[in-house]
Amino acid sequence: MKEIQQKVNRLYPSFSSQLDIFRETYNDIWKYLSMGDYLKILKEFEEDYHNKKVYPEVDKDAVVRQGSDISVEERHFLIARKEKQRKAFAHFIGVNSHEIESEDMPIVGIASSGGGYRAMAGSAGYIKAMKKTGGLDCVMYIAGVSGSCWNMAMYYSPLTHGSCTVLLDHLKSHMHTHLATLSHLLAIMNISRESSIWLTQGAVERYYQQQNTLQLVDIFGMLIGATFLTDKRNCKKNSMKLSQQTKLFADGSQPMPIYCVVRHDTANIEEEENGIYQWFEFTPFEMGCEEINAWVPTWAFGRKFEHGKNIERLPEQTLEIMMGVFGSAFVASIVHVYQEIRGSIPSTAVGTTDEIVARYEKSMSSFHPISPAGFHNPFYHLPKHDDEEGYQWTDTSSLLDSKEIYLMDAGMDNNIPFYPLLRQERKVDVILAIDFSADIQTSTHFERAEGYVRRRGIEGWPQVPKNPSSSLETCAVFSTRAAESVMDTEITSERLRYPVTVIYFPFIENKAHSSEFDPQTSEFCSTLNFAYTEEQIDSVYDLAEANWNENVDKVREVLRTLWRKKREDRLQTRLDIHSPF
């Protein structure tokens, strides 16, 4: 174990140095939190912990909802969003709004990948370009991983109120400060006692929940808060939480955000080469996992549960703590780190390192040098609930029998969050897959998605080349049987009638826009770079806008074609009902 760690550190020193910075910051912050004055603040937090005037959610109990259906709140959102979309959709595809019926409009979801600051700034650029061209008004869901989650968290917060312009200004005024700059953190904390309280609120709550201890991921979240959420002092005390984001989109005025994380099921490591990653989604409504068809209100996540009911009442996790979990790529297993960096290792060293990895692979696949974020498991001792369609997932007993649940950056499994958009109940027709991955030329995101689709028995997934980004321009469309007529093929499955279309946007250079910037080779675009200049932000942001604007007509054509097909099928079905002979 020590041998392979030394090998990875030598071959990829920046990864090791970044971890050293965070560890040092962790130790310094821990010393600060142990000071006498701060222990008084901790005591105040404990006194407020069950005050329903401060935390209204502590006045409510929560239960686990079992079943594959989406929540009642999400169904209400869908109705409201479709109604708001009618005119915008008609304008985007260039038809009269009187021709649009809500059931004919394709359901569109964005799957925005991880990639640190590169993904955070880039996804903000794509969203702004979509908003300016009307494309965002046709989107139902935005799913994110890692850096894209950070962008989403700020976009849906009181800091920007869903304004793309305000978001860009916010990023430019905050991304220049390195995440692990302790002097910046302490300077904010020392402005006033109030500043110290709001900045450390999430970490102190975690300290209380974890019986007087903190994890590195908690400190990471605290650092994210000090870097990007400093303006929350001007917001209401309980407003910077995921559940509060419903105020921005529940009326249908914005797409619904879906934040993705994974759990590494090392108990089943024999079944797959590197163990099994179970996907969990967080929306402002609820969090849960499709593999066990179990969901709890987001405001209750972090409480102790048993047999499907909470056995304590605690405040909701703060936004910065959750942002730390969403972007916790540094908790990867040693084998995962090696797989990610293997392509950049000199060929002379690959053979020897491969032998070391092969020798220790079984043990190293389940070993995380830094622990993922641990929380009370809301599904502890939950009765098993079989899939309604009879599908049996991999053994989930290790999850249901564990008092703790350890979650991490979903990029550990797949850097593009296709899975939550493939839930049958969401009926997503078109996925706009935006890929900010560092290994974009060799990534296996689509292959992994195909494996998921086969295991889950999902119909209608498009045929995609093994490595689509190796020969693509800034956009490609993948679809299956989209031109077939339902009446001609006797297809009864709705998903086979309207198979998923994936519109893939790899974040690569666009020479028509700029021959001087390539995000795949520019040093500042490294996933491990946590400080951007304003000029660098503009480079990323502008390229994202250019890549969308160059291909927006492809998106229009896909949506227009699918809308026409659905409309024609609906009208034909109505005609058949009224004229059966």
Side-chain angles (χ1 to χ4, degrees):
M1 190 174 295
K2 184 178 180 181
E3 183 180 359
I4 191 170
Q5 275 191 276
Q6 291 174 341
K7 195 78 173 179
V8 172
N9 290 343
R10 181 171 64 81
L11 293 171
Y12 201 57
S14 61
F15 179 81
S16 178
S17 63
Q18 289 286 352
L19 292 184
D20 288 341
I21 291 173
F22 285 123
R23 285 193 183 100
E24 290 173 10
T25 305
Y26 173 86
N27 292 330
D28 289 336
I29 292 175
W30 188 255
K31 291 177 184 176
Y32 182 88
L33 295 179
S34 301
M35 295 171 60
D37 288 344
Y38 206 80
L39 293 177
K40 294 178 182 178
I41 296 177
L42 176 61
K43 185 66 176 177
E44 292 179 18
F45 268 113
E46 292 182 19
E47 292 172 357
D48 282 342
Y49 232 50
H50 301 287
N51 187 338
K52 62 184 180 182
K53 292 183 179 179
V54 179
Y55 302 110
E57 63 269 29
V58 301
D59 196 36
K60 300 183 290 185
D61 283 314
V63 297
V64 177
R65 179 179 71 84
Q66 292 185 272
S68 61
D69 284 344
I70 58 176
S71 67
V72 172
E73 294 85 355
E74 186 174 339
R75 287 201 296 270
H76 290 163
F77 158 75
L78 285 170
I79 294 171
R81 181 65 173 166
K82 285 182 178 180
E83 185 58 33
K84 292 261 178 125
Q85 283 182 326
R86 287 179 69 251
K87 289 184 179 180
F89 181 80
H91 180 74
F92 185 71
I93 67 171
V95 300
N96 193 304
S97 61
H98 297 299
E99 298 181 60
I100 303 295
E101 295 293 340
S102 61
E103 62 262 47
D104 300 334
M105 291 188 298
I107 294 180
V108 182
I110 295 173
S112 193
S113 85
Y117 274 22
R118 179 181 63 252
M120 180 170 61
S123 58
Y126 272 102
I127 286 176
K128 184 177 181 182
M130 291 180 190
K131 186 66 177 178
K132 287 169 66 175
T133 57
L136 188 65
D137 293 328
C138 302
V139 172
M140 187 67 69
Y141 299 104
I142 302 180
V145 167
S146 197
S148 288
C149 286
W150 294 347
N151 172 62
M152 292 159 54
M154 287 181 281
Y155 181 74
Y156 286 94
S157 78
L159 299 175
T160 65
H161 295 286
S163 167
C164 299
T165 302
V166 175
L167 176 61
L168 175 59
D169 292 340
H170 184 79
L171 293 179
K172 284 185 175 182
S173 62
H174 291 76
M175 284 180 69
H176 64 275
T177 302
H178 193 286
L179 272 179
T181 304
L182 182 62
S183 59
H184 172 72
L185 175 70
L186 295 180
I188 296 174
M189 294 176 72
N190 289 326
I191 290 175
S192 66
R193 192 168 186 275
E194 182 183 16
S195 295
S196 186
I197 289 174
W198 69 251
L199 181 58
T200 57
Q201 176 187 349
V204 169
E205 290 176 1
R206 291 283 287 150
Y207 178 86
Y208 178 80
Q209 294 167 10
Q210 298 175 99
Q211 298 181 331
N212 303 335
T213 188
L214 282 176
Q215 302 172 11
L216 186 59
V217 178
D218 300 326
I219 297 297
F220 183 58
M222 184 177 172
L223 292 170
I224 292 174
T227 305
F228 293 107
L229 307 181
T230 53
D231 298 329
K232 78 175 186 178
R233 286 171 292 178
N234 302 318
C235 302
K236 292 182 179 179
K237 185 177 181 65
N238 221 32
S239 64
M240 297 294 284
K241 296 184 176 181
L242 287 182
S243 69
Q244 296 301 304
Q245 294 180 358
T246 58
K247 297 174 182 178
L248 194 69
F249 74 89
D251 64 352
S253 56
Q254 295 273 4
M256 187 183 98
I258 305 173
Y259 303 87
C260 300
V261 293
V262 293
R263 171 183 178 265
H264 194 184
D265 184 8
T266 56
N268 288 302
I269 200 168
E270 299 290 340
E271 298 186 23
E272 288 204 3
E273 184 178 352
N274 295 318
I276 294 171
Y277 288 95
Q278 296 165 332
W279 279 66
F280 288 77
E281 63 175 61
F282 283 79
T283 77
F285 295 130
E286 59 184 8
M287 70 78 60
C289 177
E290 187 185 16
E291 296 195 26
I292 55 173
N293 281 327
W295 320 89
V296 296
T298 297
W299 49 261
F301 176 71
R303 299 181 179 187
K304 290 181 181 178
F305 278 74
E306 193 163 356
H307 302 296
K309 298 179 181 179
N310 69 238
I311 56 176
E312 66 177 350
R313 295 180 179 182
L314 295 176
E316 180 181 349
Q317 303 299 315
T318 61
L319 186 60
E320 64 266 25
I321 290 297
M322 296 312 305
M323 289 174 73
V325 179
F326 299 151
S328 57
F330 56 87
V331 305
S333 68
I334 288 293
V335 168
H336 186 94
V337 172
Y338 175 67
Q339 290 172 341
E340 289 295 312
I341 67 173
R342 187 179 182 277
S344 61
I345 293 176
S347 57
T348 54
V350 169
T352 303
T353 313
D354 281 349
E355 291 178 8
I356 296 173
V357 172
R359 191 187 316 160
Y360 297 108
E361 183 167 12
K362 186 170 292 186
S363 60
M364 299 307 295
S365 293
S366 60
F367 174 68
H368 295 261
I370 298 175
S371 173
F375 296 87
H376 298 308
N377 182 8
F379 312 113
Y380 178 55
H381 282 170
L382 184 71
K384 290 188 178 181
H385 185 84
D386 290 340
D387 189 289
E388 283 87 343
E389 297 179 359
Y391 179 83
Q392 294 293 323
W393 286 93
T394 306
D395 181 18
T396 57
S397 58
S398 66
L399 169 61
L400 302 181
D401 293 341
S402 175
K403 288 185 177 182
E404 302 291 320
I405 184 170
Y406 292 90
L407 302 176
M408 67 189 87
D409 190 315
M412 299 299 101
D413 182 49
N414 193 331
N415 207 32
I416 303 180
F418 294 112
Y419 308 153
L421 301 178
L422 293 175
R423 281 182 62 185
Q424 181 178 342
E425 298 73 28
R426 289 195 168 125
K427 301 180 180 178
V428 172
D429 299 293
V430 179
I431 297 177
L432 305 177
I434 307 174
D435 191 359
F436 300 100
S437 303
D439 58 344
I440 209 165
Q441 299 295 338
T442 58
S443 63
T444 59
H445 311 318
F446 283 92
E447 290 181 51
R448 297 190 72 82
E450 287 173 7
Y452 172 88
V453 164
R454 286 194 299 271
R455 292 195 303 273
R456 189 70 179 96
I458 295 172
E459 301 172 321
W461 179 253
Q463 295 294 318
V464 181
K466 270 197 171 182
N467 184 16
S469 57
S470 61
S471 58
L472 287 184
E473 298 299 324
T474 53
C475 177
V477 178
F478 304 113
S479 60
T480 57
R481 306 207 303 214
E484 291 184 4
S485 166
V486 177
M487 300 303 139
D488 293 339
T489 58
E490 299 182 358
I491 295 174
T492 56
S493 166
E494 184 174 358
R495 177 49 73 202
L496 287 182
R497 283 183 178 180
Y498 311 114
V500 176
T501 297
V502 175
I503 306 178
Y504 180 53
F505 287 88
F507 191 56
I508 56 178
E509 68 174 332
N510 184 337
K511 292 183 178 179
H513 167 68
S514 172
S515 59
E516 299 179 356
F517 175 55
D518 182 351
Q520 293 294 299
T521 59
S522 295
E523 187 175 349
F524 80 86
C525 280
S526 165
T527 305
L528 295 174
N529 177 29
F530 293 111
Y532 277 37
T533 66
E534 187 169 324
E535 182 180 8
Q536 290 168 342
I537 296 171
D538 282 334
S539 295
V540 172
Y541 205 86
D542 292 347
L543 178 61
E545 281 198 280
N547 287 357
W548 170 265
N549 291 335
E550 184 180 87
N551 298 286
V552 66
D553 287 339
K554 291 182 182 179
V555 179
R556 281 197 182 94
E557 184 56 33
V558 168
L559 298 189
R560 187 186 299 117
T561 300
L562 187 51
W563 165 74
R564 282 176 176 161
K565 177 176 173 53
K566 286 194 167 192
R567 184 172 184 268
E568 290 169 3
D569 290 346
R570 176 178 57 81
L571 294 176
Q572 183 63 51
T573 300
R574 182 183 299 175
L575 181 62
D576 290 343
I577 291 174
H578 289 90
S579 304
F581 300 106

